[in-house]
Amino acid sequence: MTTQIQTPLRGKVTLAGVLRSEAIRMFSLKSTGILIALSIVLYVGIAVIATWAIGSLLQDMSDPSQMEGMGTMSQPGFASETLGSGLVFNQLILGVLGVLLFSGEFTTGSAVSTFLASPQRLRVMTAKIIFTVVLTGLTQLVSTLLAFIIAKPVAENYNLTLEFSSSSFQSVLWYGTLAVIMAALIGLALGVLLRSSAGGITVLAAVFFVLPIITAIFGSYVDWLPNVSAFLPDQLGLSLATPLSAPSDLELWQQLLGVAGWIIVPLALGAVLLAKRDIK
Amino acid sequence: MIQAQQLTKTYGSKTVVDQVSFTVQPGQVTGFLGPNGAGKSTTMRMIVGLAAPTQGQVLVNNRDFKKSKHPITEVGTLLEAKSVHKSLTPSSHLRSIAATAGLPSSRVSEVLELTGLTGVRRKKIGGFSLGMGQRLGIATALLGDPQVLILDEPVNGLDPEGVAWVRNLARQQAAAGKTVFISSHLMSEMAQTADHLIVIGRGRIMADAPISEFIDNGLAQTIVKSSDIEVLMNALSSQGVQLRRIDAQTLEVTGPDSEVIGRRALETGVALSELRPLQRTLEDAYMELTRDAVEYHSNIVAENSGGK
């Protein structure tokens, strides 16, 4: 038995090393693959079913633009926006992935190993942020592109226009991806703030599903509430990616500022607390 | 080398580590001994930057570990078994840690082999026994072939063969000039492993000395039984030794060893029915030191039984 090795190990910690470490760990966990597969299948499935439903609905009507509330449906960009129907689900699913990415460290105690291997805590957090952005961003891009490829023949069957280069589809593609990245980073921040998977997922679901309902219910009584609801992360995402079906009173820069706020504030709070609190 | 200066940690109103100062030297095994809840783990967590000291500071090789650029080659740490994601395997866990520091995957195979985990390297850690988890923790600590080894209760849950293995490992690492700091609540374990002992109780350092100093100050104690005990007492007292009468036939002699006493008895013609050297064990010394510092007492305390 020997513990000595001939050439001493150097072992310098780098951001790239921590990133590689994150990737090895996350891809060794089943939950990562399950959540990514689930988000792609759900997103593509909803997009295709929605395209089919809209198509058959429009076909049954002689002139939809004459019907009340159906005006937007006949607009050329609407078919593209239909592809973004599953956006909130992907925000939630990949948001959960974000939560688990950090909360898992604390619920399993692996934070001890992680921060012994890289005692600079913010470097670990930076690596997790990069990993989250790349992983969830790619997942959303792939989901949207797959949805486009599979929904295109369905749309053509009903004479709906689905143009890759149209501004509507580009919005769904890029702003949809931004919306998902935002959700995943909110999840990541909740994971490090609450250090609990259940807690993080609950709060995430509350932000995306419960807050919009509350603001909708009380919106008619309280004047400023509708303005708040426009800044909720689900609304920001929808109004950026699918402006025809989810119109917003906000200017583009205001929407982007809102997204930036939802990304930066929770993460900054998480970073401060991560640096300060003891690792258990 | 580990240097703690006035290290203090409080949680709310409870002071867990109270102005602790000590130095752990390289080239020897230093035992960190104390009852449960004495502050051993908290002190170790502060050394490696997982817990922030309320006051004071601790340096590892003259640096703050939190600023180390080569953390796992500098310090190998085992804090608690299974501080690992349960769905991972030993292989993926170690590869992930090795990647952080850019260590080759061949080193992962080496430590798996070293800790006897090669056979289970693709099994889920969640199903591991405490002993296997402990081996994985030790494998993680050894991964960077570190200069400083910090092991918190490393033999917990290990079988006798594993215990001996950890003991050997610690001795080897120290012999190679490394700093080895091992905590335990068992003196018997430390007695066989450590060169130097730091004893902590209720967050305070109670002793910090080479292990030899913990065994009595060179004075032998012997229990002697005889029906002619008074005669023997007279014969022995001339030597200026401490005699303590325990009962009509029993005497406790401090000073001369059993051989001297036996010869003296022969010379005076006293028949002995018992001549038993009392070794004050490390265990006794430890019990004495920490008697008042034990956080959780059991109601019945076994009487020091003496000879071993």
PDB file of all heavy atoms in Angstrom, chain A residues 239-255:
ATOM      1  N   SER A 239     -44.702  38.176 -22.820  1.00  0.00           N
ATOM      2  CA  SER A 239     -44.905  39.380 -23.638  1.00  0.00           C
ATOM      3  C   SER A 239     -43.684  39.640 -24.523  1.00  0.00           C
ATOM      4  O   SER A 239     -43.802  40.253 -25.582  1.00  0.00           O
ATOM      5  CB  SER A 239     -45.197  40.589 -22.749  1.00  0.00           C
ATOM      6  OG  SER A 239     -44.113  40.834 -21.888  1.00  0.00           O
ATOM      7  N   LEU A 240     -42.529  39.177 -24.119  1.00  0.00           N
ATOM      8  CA  LEU A 240     -41.341  39.323 -24.983  1.00  0.00           C
ATOM      9  C   LEU A 240     -41.374  38.304 -26.116  1.00  0.00           C
ATOM     10  O   LEU A 240     -41.153  38.626 -27.278  1.00  0.00           O
ATOM     11  CB  LEU A 240     -40.058  39.130 -24.162  1.00  0.00           C
ATOM     12  CG  LEU A 240     -39.533  40.360 -23.415  1.00  0.00           C
ATOM     13  CD1 LEU A 240     -38.455  39.936 -22.419  1.00  0.00           C
ATOM     14  CD2 LEU A 240     -38.973  41.397 -24.376  1.00  0.00           C
ATOM     15  N   ALA A 241     -41.686  37.054 -25.776  1.00  0.00           N
ATOM     16  CA  ALA A 241     -41.617  35.979 -26.771  1.00  0.00           C
ATOM     17  C   ALA A 241     -42.844  35.960 -27.664  1.00  0.00           C
ATOM     18  O   ALA A 241     -42.745  35.697 -28.860  1.00  0.00           O
ATOM     19  CB  ALA A 241     -41.441  34.634 -26.062  1.00  0.00           C
ATOM     20  N   THR A 242     -44.008  36.249 -27.090  1.00  0.00           N
ATOM     21  CA  THR A 242     -45.248  36.172 -27.870  1.00  0.00           C
ATOM     22  C   THR A 242     -46.083  37.440 -27.687  1.00  0.00           C
ATOM     23  O   THR A 242     -47.135  37.415 -27.047  1.00  0.00           O
ATOM     24  CB  THR A 242     -46.073  34.933 -27.436  1.00  0.00           C
ATOM     25  OG1 THR A 242     -46.346  35.052 -26.030  1.00  0.00           O
ATOM     26  CG2 THR A 242     -45.326  33.640 -27.680  1.00  0.00           C
ATOM     27  N   PRO A 243     -45.611  38.555 -28.259  1.00  0.00           N
ATOM     28  CA  PRO A 243     -46.272  39.850 -28.019  1.00  0.00           C
ATOM     29  C   PRO A 243     -47.695  39.929 -28.565  1.00  0.00           C
ATOM     30  O   PRO A 243     -48.501  40.698 -28.051  1.00  0.00           O
ATOM     31  CB  PRO A 243     -45.351  40.853 -28.725  1.00  0.00           C
ATOM     32  CG  PRO A 243     -44.559  40.052 -29.693  1.00  0.00           C
ATOM     33  CD  PRO A 243     -44.425  38.687 -29.114  1.00  0.00           C
ATOM     34  N   LEU A 244     -48.027  39.149 -29.577  1.00  0.00           N
ATOM     35  CA  LEU A 244     -49.380  39.226 -30.146  1.00  0.00           C
ATOM     36  C   LEU A 244     -50.399  38.645 -29.181  1.00  0.00           C
ATOM     37  O   LEU A 244     -51.456  39.223 -28.933  1.00  0.00           O
ATOM     38  CB  LEU A 244     -49.442  38.468 -31.477  1.00  0.00           C
ATOM     39  CG  LEU A 244     -48.659  39.081 -32.641  1.00  0.00           C
ATOM     40  CD1 LEU A 244     -48.720  38.163 -33.838  1.00  0.00           C
ATOM     41  CD2 LEU A 244     -49.207  40.464 -32.972  1.00  0.00           C
ATOM     42  N   SER A 245     -50.059  37.479 -28.611  1.00  0.00           N
ATOM     43  CA  SER A 245     -51.026  36.840 -27.732  1.00  0.00           C
ATOM     44  C   SER A 245     -50.909  37.311 -26.291  1.00  0.00           C
ATOM     45  O   SER A 245     -51.828  37.123 -25.507  1.00  0.00           O
ATOM     46  CB  SER A 245     -50.900  35.308 -27.801  1.00  0.00           C
ATOM     47  OG  SER A 245     -49.589  34.915 -28.071  1.00  0.00           O
ATOM     48  N   ALA A 246     -49.781  37.910 -25.922  1.00  0.00           N
ATOM     49  CA  ALA A 246     -49.631  38.438 -24.564  1.00  0.00           C
ATOM     50  C   ALA A 246     -49.108  39.865 -24.637  1.00  0.00           C
ATOM     51  O   ALA A 246     -47.960  40.133 -24.313  1.00  0.00           O
ATOM     52  CB  ALA A 246     -48.684  37.555 -23.750  1.00  0.00           C
ATOM     53  N   PRO A 247     -49.957  40.778 -25.086  1.00  0.00           N
ATOM     54  CA  PRO A 247     -49.489  42.152 -25.258  1.00  0.00           C
ATOM     55  C   PRO A 247     -49.151  42.804 -23.916  1.00  0.00           C
ATOM     56  O   PRO A 247     -49.721  42.452 -22.885  1.00  0.00           O
ATOM     57  CB  PRO A 247     -50.679  42.854 -25.918  1.00  0.00           C
ATOM     58  CG  PRO A 247     -51.857  42.018 -25.582  1.00  0.00           C
ATOM     59  CD  PRO A 247     -51.372  40.622 -25.422  1.00  0.00           C
ATOM     60  N   SER A 248     -48.192  43.714 -23.946  1.00  0.00           N
ATOM     61  CA  SER A 248     -47.774  44.381 -22.719  1.00  0.00           C
ATOM     62  C   SER A 248     -47.743  45.879 -22.960  1.00  0.00           C
ATOM     63  O   SER A 248     -47.467  46.345 -24.068  1.00  0.00           O
ATOM     64  CB  SER A 248     -46.392  43.888 -22.310  1.00  0.00           C
ATOM     65  OG  SER A 248     -45.886  44.678 -21.263  1.00  0.00           O
ATOM     66  N   ASP A 249     -48.069  46.652 -21.922  1.00  0.00           N
ATOM     67  CA  ASP A 249     -47.998  48.113 -22.032  1.00  0.00           C
ATOM     68  C   ASP A 249     -46.564  48.603 -21.919  1.00  0.00           C
ATOM     69  O   ASP A 249     -46.287  49.781 -22.112  1.00  0.00           O
ATOM     70  CB  ASP A 249     -48.832  48.758 -20.921  1.00  0.00           C
ATOM     71  CG  ASP A 249     -50.303  48.395 -21.090  1.00  0.00           C
ATOM     72  OD1 ASP A 249     -50.685  48.098 -22.242  1.00  0.00           O
ATOM     73  OD2 ASP A 249     -51.035  48.405 -20.082  1.00  0.00           O
ATOM     74  N   LEU A 250     -45.673  47.702 -21.554  1.00  0.00           N
ATOM     75  CA  LEU A 250     -44.293  48.126 -21.297  1.00  0.00           C
ATOM     76  C   LEU A 250     -43.522  48.283 -22.604  1.00  0.00           C
ATOM     77  O   LEU A 250     -43.779  47.593 -23.590  1.00  0.00           O
ATOM     78  CB  LEU A 250     -43.577  47.098 -20.421  1.00  0.00           C
ATOM     79  CG  LEU A 250     -44.183  46.827 -19.039  1.00  0.00           C
ATOM     80  CD1 LEU A 250     -43.376  45.745 -18.332  1.00  0.00           C
ATOM     81  CD2 LEU A 250     -44.218  48.095 -18.212  1.00  0.00           C
ATOM     82  N   GLU A 251     -42.564  49.207 -22.575  1.00  0.00           N
ATOM     83  CA  GLU A 251     -41.643  49.345 -23.703  1.00  0.00           C
ATOM     84  C   GLU A 251     -40.663  48.168 -23.665  1.00  0.00           C
ATOM     85  O   GLU A 251     -40.469  47.553 -22.616  1.00  0.00           O
ATOM     86  CB  GLU A 251     -40.830  50.648 -23.559  1.00  0.00           C
ATOM     87  CG  GLU A 251     -41.663  51.889 -23.446  1.00  0.00           C
ATOM     88  CD  GLU A 251     -42.169  52.352 -24.800  1.00  0.00           C
ATOM     89  OE1 GLU A 251     -41.484  52.072 -25.806  1.00  0.00           O
ATOM     90  OE2 GLU A 251     -43.258  52.953 -24.852  1.00  0.00           O
ATOM     91  N   LEU A 252     -40.015  47.910 -24.791  1.00  0.00           N
ATOM     92  CA  LEU A 252     -39.060  46.807 -24.838  1.00  0.00           C
ATOM     93  C   LEU A 252     -37.969  46.960 -23.783  1.00  0.00           C
ATOM     94  O   LEU A 252     -37.615  46.009 -23.075  1.00  0.00           O
ATOM     95  CB  LEU A 252     -38.430  46.718 -26.236  1.00  0.00           C
ATOM     96  CG  LEU A 252     -37.407  45.594 -26.407  1.00  0.00           C
ATOM     97  CD1 LEU A 252     -38.049  44.225 -26.243  1.00  0.00           C
ATOM     98  CD2 LEU A 252     -36.709  45.685 -27.768  1.00  0.00           C
ATOM     99  N   TRP A 253     -37.448  48.205 -23.672  1.00  0.00           N
ATOM    100  CA  TRP A 253     -36.352  48.391 -22.706  1.00  0.00           C
ATOM    101  C   TRP A 253     -36.822  48.150 -21.286  1.00  0.00           C
ATOM    102  O   TRP A 253     -36.081  47.658 -20.445  1.00  0.00           O
ATOM    103  CB  TRP A 253     -35.692  49.773 -22.870  1.00  0.00           C
ATOM    104  CG  TRP A 253     -36.575  50.951 -22.504  1.00  0.00           C
ATOM    105  CD1 TRP A 253     -37.366  51.659 -23.336  1.00  0.00           C
ATOM    106  CD2 TRP A 253     -36.733  51.540 -21.203  1.00  0.00           C
ATOM    107  NE1 TRP A 253     -38.022  52.643 -22.656  1.00  0.00           N
ATOM    108  CE2 TRP A 253     -37.647  52.609 -21.338  1.00  0.00           C
ATOM    109  CE3 TRP A 253     -36.194  51.282 -19.936  1.00  0.00           C
ATOM    110  CZ2 TRP A 253     -38.036  53.402 -20.271  1.00  0.00           C
ATOM    111  CZ3 TRP A 253     -36.575  52.081 -18.866  1.00  0.00           C
ATOM    112  CH2 TRP A 253     -37.496  53.133 -19.031  1.00  0.00           C
ATOM    113  N   GLN A 254     -38.091  48.480 -21.028  1.00  0.00           N
ATOM    114  CA  GLN A 254     -38.619  48.240 -19.683  1.00  0.00           C
ATOM    115  C   GLN A 254     -38.730  46.741 -19.414  1.00  0.00           C
ATOM    116  O   GLN A 254     -38.425  46.265 -18.316  1.00  0.00           O
ATOM    117  CB  GLN A 254     -39.997  48.888 -19.538  1.00  0.00           C
ATOM    118  CG  GLN A 254     -39.927  50.397 -19.466  1.00  0.00           C
ATOM    119  CD  GLN A 254     -41.309  51.016 -19.478  1.00  0.00           C
ATOM    120  OE1 GLN A 254     -42.173  50.626 -20.272  1.00  0.00           O
ATOM    121  NE2 GLN A 254     -41.518  51.992 -18.605  1.00  0.00           N
ATOM    122  N   GLN A 255     -39.176  46.021 -20.463  1.00  0.00           N
ATOM    123  CA  GLN A 255     -39.278  44.557 -20.306  1.00  0.00           C
ATOM    124  C   GLN A 255     -37.907  43.944 -20.048  1.00  0.00           C
ATOM    125  O   GLN A 255     -37.742  43.107 -19.151  1.00  0.00           O
ATOM    126  CB  GLN A 255     -39.903  43.948 -21.561  1.00  0.00           C
ATOM    127  CG  GLN A 255     -41.350  44.333 -21.771  1.00  0.00           C
ATOM    128  CD  GLN A 255     -41.855  43.859 -23.113  1.00  0.00           C
ATOM    129  OE1 GLN A 255     -41.266  44.173 -24.152  1.00  0.00           O
ATOM    130  NE2 GLN A 255     -42.936  43.102 -23.106  1.00  0.00           N
TER     131      GLN A 255
END
